[in-house]
Every structure is written in structure tokens, then in C-alpha cells.
DNA sequence: TTGAATGAAAA
DNA sequence: TTTTCATTCAA
């Protein structure tokens, strides 16, 4: 009996009664995409991240032994002879889209910077790369985040009906042996992986971990290949000698000891002479000459923003919120149609690239909303306007640069969160919204948005509605729900459709009438968003519920 | 290894 | 009903 896999087809929904699309490999999608070859919105990358789209599924992996490339080793179509993790996959298997780290790791391994002699074990390599990953400067990591988003979008286009089904394989295994498959998975205490083993094995693991750390550090120093091998040998010899003379093992010239933790206390600048930066992560210094970047040194390194050297071990908050999450912030975030004080204060609006990525790559009907904005919302039933929940400040957003030139020619986007594109409302104002205390109208008609060579259809409220599965509950399986695992609430933006109020007087508290309708909540609710402090407040649900229907939006072009 | 996504337990 | 978190799976 073949194993059940996440891509397996459930004919006639016999088995799959969750209301979600069947897990069908449907490469013959009817979706069409317009290509705008004259649009190059991403100049922050020396290589257009969308290039990945061309490589991700169609091209074989780079054959260059030294090039640190971003090409992906994904099947154009699922071929029977492809294997993943050494597992045989059947012809219709659809792998998951890679995340940023996976892309980075793949590229890194292909680049063969770490000689086989130094480390050939992929598990260990993963550890090394993981450590190295943590040292990546923010902007470098953002490139991979961007690539991952592109890969995800590409994946979504290619397999619109695909859905991740963790445990499908486990379930199959469960049928074979009585293992802990997803079906009978029980919550347990924290993973017992760590802490296992006796003292000796722990010591061994620590030693291995130190070696990984050392290799990662050498990579950060720019040592690769034979040079890396030699430097590592020296270090290992040093270790051996110190053990011999009874000093015990010391980590990396005795400078520090991780004590099993990745979070050391490296604060000093570590010279970056990385010789193997791939093309797409070689950032033009022009990026910093545009005046767009006002990088704050929040990484604990004493350095100007220009140089962005690495710290051996970042010990700050830079990556506590995944950049990807930031990229996603505008999915359901308010469109800032009013000049925000933040803007007035000169906040750089360069995270528009982030927005571009988000908007381009997002499919509101199936993507999770931000975990950054706001971190939590009042419940739909909240009636207390004092319950204002604070989201992230704009300052936490990506410092990526809006390419000069982008703007005039760039199409307006329906959910441009900072209205960087200067979209004007095509429809009227409050008076156009009869029967409502708060008028609303779409700020712009939905438009397709282009990203590199790709144009993605703008999500529409209609689409949102159309894809809402029946009989859903509690946000689970809901297309725009999001469980962030670590970073607060998914339910914050669940089911929220953007509705923008047209001209309306700012409330005495400074709240701008950005109106949101959670039409999928049990009770529709309307909230106001303030750009003053990025808070959401209020609920005007009861009295407006009956008049605030999606059809109303539809009447305005959604 | 990191990160996205899921699903189910806990709150 | 919402939040948390173990688990799977991308390479």
C-alpha cells in the first residue's frame, strides 16, 4: 500500500472533508500571469530575486563547483526519479516550497566552500550553516527571505491546490507500526532531544558543536576551501595540545565557550572578508548612497550602517521576529491613506520594497497576515475602546530600499500600507457610504502587481470571500489565519478585509478612520487604526453589522 | 539546521 | 474561542 503523502489526491473528498482544496498536483493551472519586462522593482538585489522563479522549478541545479548560487534543485515537474532526503518520491509528489534558510543552505552546499575533508556529513553541515546563517547581516538575509517569498509564490502559482499536510507520511507510517503519528500525537513537555544522553556523549556533542562553531566562524572570516581546512586543522591541533597539557578544551582560542548555547556574547566587530558571497548577496554600496537607508545599529556591533560587518554571534533582537513575518505585514494591514506622523517625522519609507514583496507575493486568500502588525487585536467582540493593542513600530520594518524610479511607473496597489504609491481613492468619501457611521471605500481598484518578470493578480475581497471554506471554525484552516508559533496571535487579523474610509475627521484622540471589517467573525466588527501609534481600537460592530456586508465592498469594485 | 505550516491540546 | 506548541518537512 503506498504511503499517504501530503500531495495525495482525495477523490471526491471522500477522505478529505476539511473543506480545503484537495491536495492535487495541478500544474495545468488556469491562472495566467502577465509579464512586465520593463519593470525592475527590486534593485536592492544585484540579482533579481525573481530569477529564482526561473530557476526554482525549471532549471537543474547549478553545476558550478564554486559558485554560490541561488538556483534551486526543484523538479520542473515531478519526475519519478527525483529523490528528496534520499527518499523515493512518486512522480506526483510536490515538495514544500523552500524557506529562506533552506535556499541558503542549498546554495551554500553547492558552493562547496566547506571541503568534503572538513565536513561531509550533511547533518553536521546543517549545523555549521545554521550557525553561519545566524551571522548573516540583515540585508543579506533579506535577500534569502525575498527569494523564499518568490519561491513560495512560484510554488503557489505552479501548484495552486497544493497544501502542506504534515503528518500525512507519519500517518502512513502509523499504519505500519504503532508509532506516534499525527493522528495520536499528544502534547508533551518540551522536546527531549536535548538533555538526552550521558555525560560523555554530552561532552562529545559539545566538542562537535564547538567544531561547528569554529568552522562557522572561519567562514565568517572569509576562509573557505583549503584555507578553511588549514585554519581548522590549526585550531584542532591547538585544542589537542591544550587537552594534553591539561587545560581542557577551549573554544576558539579560548575566547569564549558556548556552553551548549548558540547565544554567546560576541559583541565585537568581526572582520568580514567573505570571499564567497554569491552574486545576489553582494550588495551594492549604492544601496547606501541613495539616502534611503537609515540603518540603526541594533545588532550590538559598533559599526556604521554602511559596512554592516558581522558579529560572530548576534546577540540582539534583529532576528527574533522573522523577516518573513515582516514581509507579510501588509497582507491585512491597513492601507495608510493618510499622512502618518511617522512619515512626517521623516521615517524612512524604504520598507516599501518589503511591501512590494508582500503585496506581490501575497495571496490574501491563502496567506497568513502579519504577525508584526499588530501583535494582537482586541477580540471581535471587544467593545472597550480603551483596549488598544499595540503593534510593532514602523521602525522594526525592513530597511530595504525602494528603488529610485519606482513610484511613478509602478502600479498602485490595493493594499499599499503606507500609500507609497500615492494611490488615490477612485470613489467618494463618507457620503458615498450611506447608512454607515464610517464611510468606506476601496482606496484603489485592485490591480495586478508586478515583481520582476511576474505579475500577480491582486487579491480581492471577492476572492477572499470565494475562498472562504464553509464550516470553518476558530480560524483553523482559514485562509488568512496565522499561527505564529512564537510571536503572538494569529487571530489578530483573521478574516479581516481591508476597508478604507475615505476622508473623515480624525478623532480627538488622533485616530484616523481606517476602518476594518472582520466579516468572518461571528459578529462583524469595525475598528479604527491610528497611525499615531499604530494602534487599533474600538469596535462598532453591533450597530453597523447589518449594513457592513461584503456586497457593499463589491459595489465599489472589489 | 531554520522556518513555514499544520493540527490539536491548553488556556 | 483563542493561544500555544509539538510535529512535519522543505534541502
Amino acid at each position: 500500500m503506498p504511503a499517504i503523502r501530503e500531495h495525495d489526491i482525495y477523490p471526491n473528498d471522500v477522505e478529505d472533508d476539511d473543506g480545503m482544496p484537495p491536495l492535487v498536483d495541478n500544474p495545468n493551472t488556469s491562472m495566467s500571469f502577465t509579464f512586465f519586462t520593463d519593470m525592475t522593482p527590486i534593485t536592492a538585489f544585484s540579482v533579481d530575486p525573481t530569477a529564482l522563479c526561473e530557476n526554482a522549478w525549471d532549471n537543474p541545479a547549478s553545476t558550478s563547483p564554486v559558485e554560490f548560487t541561488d538556483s534551486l534543485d526543484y523538479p520542473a515537474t515531478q519526475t519519478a526519479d527525483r529523490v528528496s532526503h534520499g527518499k523515493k518520491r512518486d512522480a506526483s509528489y510536490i515538495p514544500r516550497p523552500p524557506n529562506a534558510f533552506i535556499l541558503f543552505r542549498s546554495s551554500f552546499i553547492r558552493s562547496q566552500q566547506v571541503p568534503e575533508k572538513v565536513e561531509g556529513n550533511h547533518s553536521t553541515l546543517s549545523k555549521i550553516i545554521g550557525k553561519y546563517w545566524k551571522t548573516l547581516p540583515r540585508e543579506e538575509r533579506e535577500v534569502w527571505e525575498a527569494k523564499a517569498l518568490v519561491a513560495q509564490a512560484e510554488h503557489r502559482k505552479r501548484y495552486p491546490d497544493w497544501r502542506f499536510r504534515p503528518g500525512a507520511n507519519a500517518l502512513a507510517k502509523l499504519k505500519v507500526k504503532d508509532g506516534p503519528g499525527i493522528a495520536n500525537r499528544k502534547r508533551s513537555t518540551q522536546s527531549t532531544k536535548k538533555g538526552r544522553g550521558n555525560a560523555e556523549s554530552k561532552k562529545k556533542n559539545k566538542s562537535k558543536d564547538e567544531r561547528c562553531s569554529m568552522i562557522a566562524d572561519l567562514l565568517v572570516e572569509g576562509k573557505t576551501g583549503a584555507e578553511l581546512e588549514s585554519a581548522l586543522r590549526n585550531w584542532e591541533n591547538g585544542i589537542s595540545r591544550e587537552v594534553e597539557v591539561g587545560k581542557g578544551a577551549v573554544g576558539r582560542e579560548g575566547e569564549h565557550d558556548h556552553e551548549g548555547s548558540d547565544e554567546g556574547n560576541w559583541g565585537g566587530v568581526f572582520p568580514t572578508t567573505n570571499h564567497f558571497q554569491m552574486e545576489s548577496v553582494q550588495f551594492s554600496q549604492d544601496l547606501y548612497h541613495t539616502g534611503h537607508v537609515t540603518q540603526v545599529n541594533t545588532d550590538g556591533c559598533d559599526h556604521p550602517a554602511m559596512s554592516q560587518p558581522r558579529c560572530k554571534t548576534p546577540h540582539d533582537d534583529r532576528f527574533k521576529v522573522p523577516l518573513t513575518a515582516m514581509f507579510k505585514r501588509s497582507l491585512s494591514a491597513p492601507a495608510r491613506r493618510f499622512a502618518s506622523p511617522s512619515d512626517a517625522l521623516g521615517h524612512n519609507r524604504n520598507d516599501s520594497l518589503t511591501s512590494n514583496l508582500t503585496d506581490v507575493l501575497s495571496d490574501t486568500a491563502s496567506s497568513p497576515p502579519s504577525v508584526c502588525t499588530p501583535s494582537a487585536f482586541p477580540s471581535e467582540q471587544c467593545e472597550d475602546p480603551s483596549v488598544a493593542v499595540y503593534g510593532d513600530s514602523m521602525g522594526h520594518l525592513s530597511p530595504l530600499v525602494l528603488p529610485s524610479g519606482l513610484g511613478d511607473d509602478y502600479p498602485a496597489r490595493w493594499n499599499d500600507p503606507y500609500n507609497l504609491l500615492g494611490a488615490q481613492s477612485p470613489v467618494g468619501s463618507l457620503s458615498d457610504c450611506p447608512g454607515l457611521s464610517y464611510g468606506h471605500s476601496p482606496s484603489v481598484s485592485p490591480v495586478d502587481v508586478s515583481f520582476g518578470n511576474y505579475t500577480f493578480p491582486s487579491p480581492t475581497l471577492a476572492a477572499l470571500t470565494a475562498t472562504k471554506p464553509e464550516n470553518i471554525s476558530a480560524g483553523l484552516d482559514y485562509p488568512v489565519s496565522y499561527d505564529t508559533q512564537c510571536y503572538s496571535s494569529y487571530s489578530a487579523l483573521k478574516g479581516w478585509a481591508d476597508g478604507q474610509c475615505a476622508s473623515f475627521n480624525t478623532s480627538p484622540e488622533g485616530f484616523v478612520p481606517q476602518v476594518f471589517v472582520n466579516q468572518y467573525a461571528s459578529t462583524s466588527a469595525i475598528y479604527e487604526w491610528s497611525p499615531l501609534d499604530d494602534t487599533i481600537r474600538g469596535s462598532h460592530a453591533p450597530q453597523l453589522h447589518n449594513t457592513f456586508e461584503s456586497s457593499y465592498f463589491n459595489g465599489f469594485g472589489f
Side-chain angles (χ1 to χ4, degrees), chain A residues 452-534:
Chain A
N453 290 330
Y454 289 81
T455 294
F456 296 78
S458 172
T460 66
L461 187 64
L464 201 63
T465 307
T467 53
K468 174 182 172 290
E470 296 302 322
N471 306 319
I472 62 164
S473 63
L476 293 176
D477 292 332
Y478 183 68
V480 293
S481 70
Y482 190 41
D483 181 340
T484 65
Q485 178 82 20
C486 302
Y487 306 103
S488 87
S489 151
Y490 72 85
S491 59
L493 298 168
K494 176 192 66 180
W496 289 59
D498 283 359
Q500 293 82 41
C501 183
S503 55
F504 190 79
N505 293 330
T506 301
S507 71
E509 300 83 9
F511 272 70
V512 174
Q514 296 278 321
V515 180
F516 304 92
V517 182
N518 188 345
Q519 61 179 321
Y520 302 134
S522 53
T523 303
S524 295
I526 299 174
Y527 294 84
E528 296 166 302
W529 166 78
S530 170
L532 288 174
D533 52 8
D534 208 12

Side-chain angles (χ1 to χ4, degrees), chain A residues 94-138:
Chain A
I94 300 172
R96 301 180 71 178
N99 64 33
F101 175 77
I102 294 297
L103 290 174
F104 175 78
R105 182 192 179 281
S106 300
S107 184
F108 185 96
I109 287 176
R110 269 198 302 276
S111 72
Q112 298 185 343
Q113 302 305 319
V114 177
E116 180 89 16
K117 269 195 228 172
V118 170
E119 191 53 69
N121 181 295
H122 273 234
S123 174
T124 309
L125 274 172
S126 288
K127 291 178 184 171
I128 294 165
I129 297 167
K131 289 173 186 296
Y132 184 64
W133 169 255
K134 286 174 179 168
T135 74
L136 285 186
R138 182 196 186 107

Side-chain angles (χ1 to χ4, degrees), chain A residues 227-533:
Chain A
E227 198 183 3
L228 172 68
E229 189 182 342
S230 169
L232 184 70
R233 199 182 302 125
N234 288 340
W235 176 77
E236 287 172 330
N237 288 339
I239 288 288
S240 302
R241 276 196 300 276
E242 289 180 31
V243 169
E244 282 169 16
V245 298
K247 284 184 180 175
V250 292
R252 287 180 272 178
E253 297 147 13
E255 286 176 290
H256 77 302
D257 188 335
H258 276 271
E259 289 293 342
S261 166
D262 287 337
E263 302 301 322
N265 202 25
W266 293 86
V269 176
F270 202 74
T272 296
T273 51
N274 196 326
H275 299 282
F276 55 90
Q277 284 187 325
M278 57 172 288
E279 189 181 3
S280 62
V281 292
Q282 285 175 327
F283 283 85
S284 165
Q285 288 294 314
D286 290 344
L287 194 147
Y288 295 101
H289 294 158
T290 60
H292 289 299
V293 171
T294 51
Q295 177 74 37
V296 178
N297 287 337
T298 57
D299 59 1
C301 295
D302 183 19
H303 58 78
M306 282 282 288
S307 56
Q308 280 287 314
R310 290 188 176 112
C311 291
K312 269 187 176 177
T313 308
H315 54 91
D316 54 66
D317 291 344
R318 277 182 306 174
F319 303 125
K320 284 188 177 170
V321 175
L323 292 167
T324 310
M326 298 183 184
F327 279 117
K328 289 172 179 170
R329 68 161 291 155
S330 71
L331 281 173
S332 294
R336 302 190 183 204
R337 299 182 55 246
F338 300 85
S340 101
S342 304
D343 294 338
L345 290 170
H347 172 82
N348 82 76
R349 298 162 21 145
N350 300 324
D351 49 310
S352 60
L353 175 57
T354 298
S355 301
N356 289 343
L357 279 167
T358 304
D359 294 341
V360 163
L361 298 168
S362 69
D363 165 4
T364 303
S366 59
S367 298
S370 167
V371 295
C372 299
T373 309
S375 56
F377 275 53
S379 71
E380 284 83 358
Q381 288 76 33
C382 174
E383 297 282 341
D384 182 2
S386 68
V387 184
V389 184
Y390 293 79
D392 72 318
S393 71
M394 293 165 73
H396 291 167
L397 292 172
S398 163
L400 286 175
V401 174
L402 176 69
S404 61
L406 174 59
D408 291 347
D409 300 321
Y410 206 64
R413 291 165 297 132
W414 74 293
N415 58 347
D416 170 14
Y418 302 113
N419 196 25
L420 288 156
L421 305 176
Q424 299 297 314
S425 172
V427 294
S429 57
L430 185 61
S431 60
D432 294 312
C433 311
L436 295 176
S437 299
Y438 291 89
H440 65 286
S441 59
S443 60
V444 292
S445 297
V447 293
D448 291 352
V449 281
S450 296
F451 182 68
N453 290 330
Y454 289 81
T455 294
F456 296 78
S458 172
T460 66
L461 187 64
L464 201 63
T465 307
T467 53
K468 174 182 172 290
E470 296 302 322
N471 306 319
I472 62 164
S473 63
L476 293 176
D477 292 332
Y478 183 68
V480 293
S481 70
Y482 190 41
D483 181 340
T484 65
Q485 178 82 20
C486 302
Y487 306 103
S488 87
S489 151
Y490 72 85
S491 59
L493 298 168
K494 176 192 66 180
W496 289 59
D498 283 359
Q500 293 82 41
C501 183
S503 55
F504 190 79
N505 293 330
T506 301
S507 71
E509 300 83 9
F511 272 70
V512 174
Q514 296 278 321
V515 180
F516 304 92
V517 182
N518 188 345
Q519 61 179 321
Y520 302 134
S522 53
T523 303
S524 295
I526 299 174
Y527 294 84
E528 296 166 302
W529 166 78
S530 170
L532 288 174
D533 52 8

